PDB file of all heavy atoms in Angstrom:
ATOM      1  N   ALA C 189       9.732   4.884  36.170  1.00 90.00           N
ATOM      2  CA  ALA C 189       9.734   3.647  36.918  1.00 90.00           C
ATOM      3  C   ALA C 189      10.509   3.768  38.222  1.00 90.00           C
ATOM      4  O   ALA C 189      11.454   4.598  38.334  1.00 90.00           O
ATOM      5  CB  ALA C 189      10.267   2.517  36.090  1.00 90.00           C
ATOM      6  N   GLU C 190      10.173   2.973  39.187  1.00 93.00           N
ATOM      7  CA  GLU C 190      10.818   3.042  40.515  1.00 93.00           C
ATOM      8  C   GLU C 190      12.114   2.214  40.543  1.00 93.00           C
ATOM      9  O   GLU C 190      13.092   2.549  41.182  1.00 93.00           O
ATOM     10  CB  GLU C 190       9.884   2.557  41.604  1.00 93.00           C
ATOM     11  CG  GLU C 190       8.679   3.436  41.841  1.00 93.00           C
ATOM     12  CD  GLU C 190       7.810   2.992  42.973  1.00 93.00           C
ATOM     13  OE1 GLU C 190       8.146   1.935  43.571  1.00 93.00           O
ATOM     14  OE2 GLU C 190       6.761   3.635  43.245  1.00 93.00           O
ATOM     15  N   GLN C 191      12.112   1.081  39.783  1.00 95.00           N
ATOM     16  CA  GLN C 191      13.283   0.198  39.788  1.00 95.00           C
ATOM     17  C   GLN C 191      14.121   0.426  38.563  1.00 95.00           C
ATOM     18  O   GLN C 191      13.641   0.821  37.496  1.00 95.00           O
ATOM     19  CB  GLN C 191      12.873  -1.251  39.846  1.00 95.00           C
ATOM     20  CG  GLN C 191      12.128  -1.673  41.160  1.00 95.00           C
ATOM     21  CD  GLN C 191      11.715  -3.127  41.090  1.00 95.00           C
ATOM     22  OE1 GLN C 191      10.813  -3.457  40.398  1.00 95.00           O
ATOM     23  NE2 GLN C 191      12.373  -3.960  41.891  1.00 95.00           N
ATOM     24  N   THR C 192      15.430   0.188  38.689  1.00 95.00           N
ATOM     25  CA  THR C 192      16.325   0.324  37.591  1.00 95.00           C
ATOM     26  C   THR C 192      16.373  -0.959  36.785  1.00 95.00           C
ATOM     27  O   THR C 192      16.038  -2.074  37.290  1.00 95.00           O
ATOM     28  CB  THR C 192      17.779   0.708  38.004  1.00 95.00           C
ATOM     29  OG1 THR C 192      18.331  -0.405  38.696  1.00 95.00           O
ATOM     30  CG2 THR C 192      17.768   1.936  38.882  1.00 95.00           C
ATOM     31  N   LEU C 193      16.807  -0.902  35.576  1.00 96.00           N
ATOM     32  CA  LEU C 193      16.926  -2.055  34.677  1.00 96.00           C
ATOM     33  C   LEU C 193      17.881  -3.094  35.296  1.00 96.00           C
ATOM     34  O   LEU C 193      17.575  -4.249  35.365  1.00 96.00           O
ATOM     35  CB  LEU C 193      17.491  -1.589  33.333  1.00 96.00           C
ATOM     36  CG  LEU C 193      17.804  -2.679  32.294  1.00 96.00           C
ATOM     37  CD1 LEU C 193      16.566  -3.483  31.949  1.00 96.00           C
ATOM     38  CD2 LEU C 193      18.437  -2.048  31.056  1.00 96.00           C
ATOM     39  N   GLU C 194      19.014  -2.655  35.809  1.00 95.00           N
ATOM     40  CA  GLU C 194      19.962  -3.607  36.378  1.00 95.00           C
ATOM     41  C   GLU C 194      19.422  -4.290  37.628  1.00 95.00           C
ATOM     42  O   GLU C 194      19.675  -5.448  37.877  1.00 95.00           O
ATOM     43  CB  GLU C 194      21.282  -2.837  36.681  1.00 95.00           C
ATOM     44  CG  GLU C 194      21.998  -2.436  35.453  1.00 95.00           C
ATOM     45  CD  GLU C 194      23.340  -1.756  35.748  1.00 95.00           C
ATOM     46  OE1 GLU C 194      23.340  -0.821  36.527  1.00 95.00           O
ATOM     47  OE2 GLU C 194      24.362  -2.152  35.185  1.00 95.00           O
ATOM     48  N   GLU C 195      18.699  -3.557  38.470  1.00 95.00           N
ATOM     49  CA  GLU C 195      18.133  -4.164  39.671  1.00 95.00           C
ATOM     50  C   GLU C 195      17.186  -5.316  39.339  1.00 95.00           C
ATOM     51  O   GLU C 195      17.217  -6.351  39.950  1.00 95.00           O
ATOM     52  CB  GLU C 195      17.355  -3.113  40.524  1.00 95.00           C
ATOM     53  CG  GLU C 195      18.259  -2.099  41.173  1.00 95.00           C
ATOM     54  CD  GLU C 195      17.490  -0.931  41.777  1.00 95.00           C
ATOM     55  OE1 GLU C 195      16.266  -0.816  41.435  1.00 95.00           O
ATOM     56  OE2 GLU C 195      18.062  -0.195  42.584  1.00 95.00           O
ATOM     57  N   VAL C 196      16.301  -5.080  38.380  1.00 97.00           N
ATOM     58  CA  VAL C 196      15.330  -6.141  38.046  1.00 97.00           C
ATOM     59  C   VAL C 196      15.978  -7.287  37.244  1.00 97.00           C
ATOM     60  O   VAL C 196      15.626  -8.412  37.417  1.00 97.00           O
ATOM     61  CB  VAL C 196      14.201  -5.477  37.207  1.00 97.00           C
ATOM     62  CG1 VAL C 196      13.237  -6.566  36.714  1.00 97.00           C
ATOM     63  CG2 VAL C 196      13.443  -4.451  38.050  1.00 97.00           C
ATOM     64  N   ALA C 197      16.944  -6.901  36.395  1.00 96.00           N
ATOM     65  CA  ALA C 197      17.559  -7.938  35.530  1.00 96.00           C
ATOM     66  C   ALA C 197      18.556  -8.848  36.263  1.00 96.00           C
ATOM     67  O   ALA C 197      18.735  -9.990  35.771  1.00 96.00           O
ATOM     68  CB  ALA C 197      18.223  -7.270  34.381  1.00 96.00           C
ATOM     69  N   ALA C 198      19.127  -8.413  37.316  1.00 95.00           N
ATOM     70  CA  ALA C 198      20.185  -9.160  37.992  1.00 95.00           C
ATOM     71  C   ALA C 198      19.853 -10.602  38.262  1.00 95.00           C
ATOM     72  O   ALA C 198      20.580 -11.536  37.916  1.00 95.00           O
ATOM     73  CB  ALA C 198      20.610  -8.415  39.260  1.00 95.00           C
ATOM     74  N   PRO C 199      18.632 -10.906  38.872  1.00 95.00           N
ATOM     75  CA  PRO C 199      18.366 -12.338  39.215  1.00 95.00           C
ATOM     76  C   PRO C 199      17.823 -13.118  38.033  1.00 95.00           C
ATOM     77  O   PRO C 199      17.670 -14.359  38.174  1.00 95.00           O
ATOM     78  CB  PRO C 199      17.306 -12.168  40.305  1.00 95.00           C
ATOM     79  CG  PRO C 199      16.627 -10.858  40.069  1.00 95.00           C
ATOM     80  CD  PRO C 199      17.679  -9.977  39.492  1.00 95.00           C
ATOM     81  N   ILE C 200      17.504 -12.495  36.911  1.00 96.00           N
ATOM     82  CA  ILE C 200      16.955 -13.227  35.764  1.00 96.00           C
ATOM     83  C   ILE C 200      17.850 -13.134  34.542  1.00 96.00           C
ATOM     84  O   ILE C 200      17.380 -13.492  33.460  1.00 96.00           O
ATOM     85  CB  ILE C 200      15.525 -12.721  35.450  1.00 96.00           C
ATOM     86  CG1 ILE C 200      15.537 -11.227  35.122  1.00 96.00           C
ATOM     87  CG2 ILE C 200      14.547 -12.974  36.615  1.00 96.00           C
ATOM     88  CD1 ILE C 200      14.275 -10.726  34.540  1.00 96.00           C
ATOM     89  N   ARG C 201      19.078 -12.686  34.689  1.00 94.00           N
ATOM     90  CA  ARG C 201      19.908 -12.511  33.597  1.00 94.00           C
ATOM     91  C   ARG C 201      20.145 -13.747  32.754  1.00 94.00           C
ATOM     92  O   ARG C 201      20.378 -13.706  31.532  1.00 94.00           O
ATOM     93  CB  ARG C 201      21.312 -11.978  34.071  1.00 94.00           C
ATOM     94  CG  ARG C 201      22.209 -11.422  33.013  1.00 94.00           C
ATOM     95  CD  ARG C 201      23.455 -10.825  33.640  1.00 94.00           C
ATOM     96  NE  ARG C 201      23.110  -9.670  34.468  1.00 94.00           N
ATOM     97  CZ  ARG C 201      22.917  -8.431  34.022  1.00 94.00           C
ATOM     98  NH1 ARG C 201      23.071  -8.243  32.732  1.00 94.00           N
ATOM     99  NH2 ARG C 201      22.649  -7.453  34.822  1.00 94.00           N
ATOM    100  N   HIS C 202      20.025 -14.917  33.338  1.00 95.00           N
ATOM    101  CA  HIS C 202      20.219 -16.202  32.672  1.00 95.00           C
ATOM    102  C   HIS C 202      18.963 -16.689  31.952  1.00 95.00           C
ATOM    103  O   HIS C 202      18.987 -17.755  31.333  1.00 95.00           O
ATOM    104  CB  HIS C 202      20.716 -17.271  33.670  1.00 95.00           C
ATOM    105  CG  HIS C 202      19.675 -17.536  34.725  1.00 95.00           C
ATOM    106  ND1 HIS C 202      19.369 -16.635  35.727  1.00 95.00           N
ATOM    107  CD2 HIS C 202      18.922 -18.680  34.952  1.00 95.00           C
ATOM    108  CE1 HIS C 202      18.426 -17.170  36.516  1.00 95.00           C
ATOM    109  NE2 HIS C 202      18.135 -18.349  36.045  1.00 95.00           N
ATOM    110  N   LEU C 203      17.942 -15.928  32.020  1.00 96.00           N
ATOM    111  CA  LEU C 203      16.634 -16.304  31.432  1.00 96.00           C
ATOM    112  C   LEU C 203      16.306 -15.445  30.227  1.00 96.00           C
ATOM    113  O   LEU C 203      16.874 -14.380  30.036  1.00 96.00           O
ATOM    114  CB  LEU C 203      15.517 -16.149  32.456  1.00 96.00           C
ATOM    115  CG  LEU C 203      15.628 -16.997  33.747  1.00 96.00           C
ATOM    116  CD1 LEU C 203      14.601 -16.663  34.728  1.00 96.00           C
ATOM    117  CD2 LEU C 203      15.590 -18.472  33.381  1.00 96.00           C
ATOM    118  N   PRO C 204      15.347 -15.889  29.382  1.00 97.00           N
ATOM    119  CA  PRO C 204      14.939 -15.041  28.205  1.00 97.00           C
ATOM    120  C   PRO C 204      14.272 -13.732  28.672  1.00 97.00           C
ATOM    121  O   PRO C 204      13.434 -13.742  29.588  1.00 97.00           O
ATOM    122  CB  PRO C 204      13.915 -15.930  27.494  1.00 97.00           C
ATOM    123  CG  PRO C 204      14.187 -17.288  27.934  1.00 97.00           C
ATOM    124  CD  PRO C 204      14.681 -17.206  29.346  1.00 97.00           C
ATOM    125  N   ILE C 205      14.676 -12.632  28.112  1.00 98.00           N
ATOM    126  CA  ILE C 205      14.126 -11.307  28.513  1.00 98.00           C
ATOM    127  C   ILE C 205      13.746 -10.577  27.226  1.00 98.00           C
ATOM    128  O   ILE C 205      14.474 -10.512  26.211  1.00 98.00           O
ATOM    129  CB  ILE C 205      15.203 -10.469  29.251  1.00 98.00           C
ATOM    130  CG1 ILE C 205      15.548 -11.166  30.593  1.00 98.00           C
ATOM    131  CG2 ILE C 205      14.700  -9.049  29.519  1.00 98.00           C
ATOM    132  CD1 ILE C 205      16.726 -10.419  31.337  1.00 98.00           C
ATOM    133  N   ALA C 206      12.526  -9.991  27.310  1.00 98.00           N
ATOM    134  CA  ALA C 206      12.073  -9.091  26.246  1.00 98.00           C
ATOM    135  C   ALA C 206      12.047  -7.656  26.770  1.00 98.00           C
ATOM    136  O   ALA C 206      11.597  -7.394  27.876  1.00 98.00           O
ATOM    137  CB  ALA C 206      10.659  -9.487  25.805  1.00 98.00           C
TER     138      ALA C 206
END
Side-chain angles (χ1 to χ4, degrees):
E190 295 183 0
Q191 294 179 291
T192 68
L193 175 63
E194 290 182 309
E195 288 171 344
V196 174
I200 59 171
R201 193 174 295 276
H202 62 292
L203 300 173
I205 296 175

